[in-house]
Amino acid sequence: MGASACSGSEDGSEGRSRLRFGLLGPPVLYYDVSGCGRGEARGVASPKSRVLLAALLLDAGRVVSVESLREALWGGAPPVSAQASLHNHVARLRRLLDDPERLRTVPSGYVLRVDEGELDVQVFDAHVAAARAAHAGQDWERVVRECAAALALWRGAPLAGLPAEVGGYAFARRLREGRLLLLEWRYDAELALGGPRVDELVPELGALTAEYPLREVYHRQLMLALHRTGRQAEALAVHRDLRTRLVDQLGIEPGPGVREAHVEVLRGVVGRSPSPARPPLAQLPPPPAHFTGRAAVRDSLRRTLTTPGAPGTAPTTPTVPATAVISGMPGVGKSALALHVAHELAERFPDGQLYLDLHGATPGMAPLTPGQALTALLRDLGAEPCRIPELPDAASALLRSLLAPTRTLLVLDDAASAAQVRPLLPGGAGCAVIVTSRSPLTALDGVARFPLGPLSDEESAALLVAASGRDGLDGSGAARRLVELTGRLPLALRVVAARLAARQALTPDVLAGQLAESEGRLRHLEYDDLSVRRSLAVALDALAGSEHEADRDAALVLRRIGALDLPTYGAPLLARLTGTGERRTEAALDRLVDVALLQEPAYGRYAPHDLVRDFARELTGGRGVEGT
């Protein structure tokens, strides 16, 4: 029978009651009742008497009609002698009761008197209420006592073995759910209290997760029990199996409780404590000096990353992290915009700002693989190298789990492709991501895109004046010529400004004359580590060295257009120049548009930026038109 009900509430109320009846299992009567409130439970031998007792207990203290009892005893086909048989069963039940007057006959039926605390369900409900209150107050020791007392009353499924005609389906379901909640609360308490008992929880919780494969709480508790007994790999396997089951069968992800437990396990795997005493990461490079213009796109980008319910605003409903992709041609100022906005929003992401250069177009460097990028980010977050998973999928899951409970801003600079970025995106709604890439990365779903073009004339002039520090340049004719000759490209403007700042003897008019030379513009757009030609050459080399045919064809097209002195081109003309056929040429042109080396002012018509046109002419004149 289990523990005595004397272990009830602290005020001893159950100790003053005397159990007489039981429905937490097959219907029983209690005998040899002591002042402690619990005696030996004796079954009722006659099946009809058990049905009669259950039907009366389900409506204890209320009149149960003769018709209802006949339905319970015989269903829809009572015998001719049903009335007499019912009287006989009532008489037999009266003889079993401690007091025959408990079961009274009334004009329309029968009433079974059950005083407070005499039915095990009443005592069970009192313990459930006390356990619920103790759990809410995190009084873990009392939770264990109340749960143990309630569970000790449980003899099996309520109304077990009775025909469906008895009814009480909702009653039994409520009690079964109450028992499951008691188990949840007790395991929460035992995990919180710790000690040697945690080892014993693993097989118990393992049995419960097998019996209730979609009940997330037991899986969460099993994960924690395994983790706290040093079995992290098994804990992660529990999470993996649960997530697969939920996604496949219900199309949902695990809830916040399971996610938090997963984070605790993962932090144990990577060697971090659940509450690391370390300052948040602040990896952003310095903001760009003399940042100018882009007011509309800056405002839109900030709104994307900080709209209520989006990252940085403590959303009240689940959402996904905001991801913004800033794209455009080489030198158009993608990274400058990303860093400028990231610094503006840094305070909204108090758990840190991560920065990673993906080297999508770095001279002499191959782009980072997803595995390399994941390793870099995980090490920054405190993971020990030996504990970073080797498989990219597992490393990506670890990254998402570490970032899930945080409000972190992630800047992924110079991405080569969507495939490179996708494993790096966090899953937590409190995070946000800014990606820069020459391509808009249209294969990434659910992101906001911000394609950048050259600056306006006014913005270009303002950048030139601010970066050069030259007095009298603002509003001058020379400034307007320099803006025009740089194609309003921020990188070219910065080179011009740097040259003017470095050589006071170099006048804007002289520099404008140098840039106007038909064959020398790119030569004069180089200074120190700033070079428009090198930026474009890196883009060309990346296309030419690609494993994809469309990329290699795009590099060939870029070399050939230097031989054309036309404002726009069509695919048929370029196909004749390259000899690759119109289908492949169209794919190559689409790729050049994707990486912003060509523009498409009208469908099927293509035109390069002035500086890209100059670069293509250099390729044609300096290296010929053969090969890629």
Side-chain angles (χ1 to χ4, degrees), residues 262-470:
H262 191 215
V263 170
E264 179 176 329
V265 175
L266 288 168
R267 284 176 171 164
V269 170
V270 301
R272 290 182 60 189
S273 63
S275 300
R278 49 176 284 175
L281 294 170
Q283 296 184 337
L284 297 177
H290 312 300
F291 185 87
T292 304
R294 310 283 194 198
V297 72
R298 282 195 343 251
D299 291 343
S300 181
L301 183 54
R302 282 195 295 262
R303 284 195 301 272
T304 295
L305 300 173
T306 60
T307 299
T313 60
T316 57
T317 57
T319 183
V320 296
T323 301
V325 175
I326 303 172
S327 61
M329 68 177 292
V332 80
K334 303 179 293 293
S335 298
L337 174 62
L339 290 174
H340 182 79
V341 173
H343 278 279
E344 287 184 326
L345 300 180
E347 291 185 358
R348 292 177 177 265
F349 298 92
D351 294 314
Q353 306 89 46
L354 300 177
Y355 174 86
L356 182 63
D357 189 342
L358 296 174
H359 296 296
T362 301
M365 289 189 65
L368 295 184
T369 66
Q372 291 170 330
L374 285 165
T375 297
L377 289 172
L378 288 170
R379 292 183 68 172
D380 289 342
L381 289 169
E384 297 178 8
C386 62
R387 296 188 176 185
I388 295 175
E390 293 183 6
L391 295 177
D393 286 349
S396 182
L398 176 57
L399 177 67
R400 291 194 300 271
S401 298
L402 291 177
L403 292 176
T406 73
R407 293 166 60 188
T408 300
L409 176 63
L410 182 60
V411 177
L412 302 174
D413 201 8
D414 194 17
S417 65
Q420 184 190 32
V421 170
R422 193 176 290 111
L424 312 180
L425 299 180
C431 296
V433 186
I434 304 175
V435 183
T436 71
S437 175
R438 296 182 178 182
S439 165
L441 306 181
T442 53
L444 286 181
D445 295 328
V447 306
R449 293 184 173 83
F450 298 87
L452 296 187
L455 296 173
S456 68
D457 288 340
E458 294 76 11
E459 292 170 336
S460 299
L463 175 59
L464 187 59
V465 170
S468 67
R470 284 291 185 99

Side-chain angles (χ1 to χ4, degrees), residues 4 94 309 394:
S4 169
R94 279 195 177 108

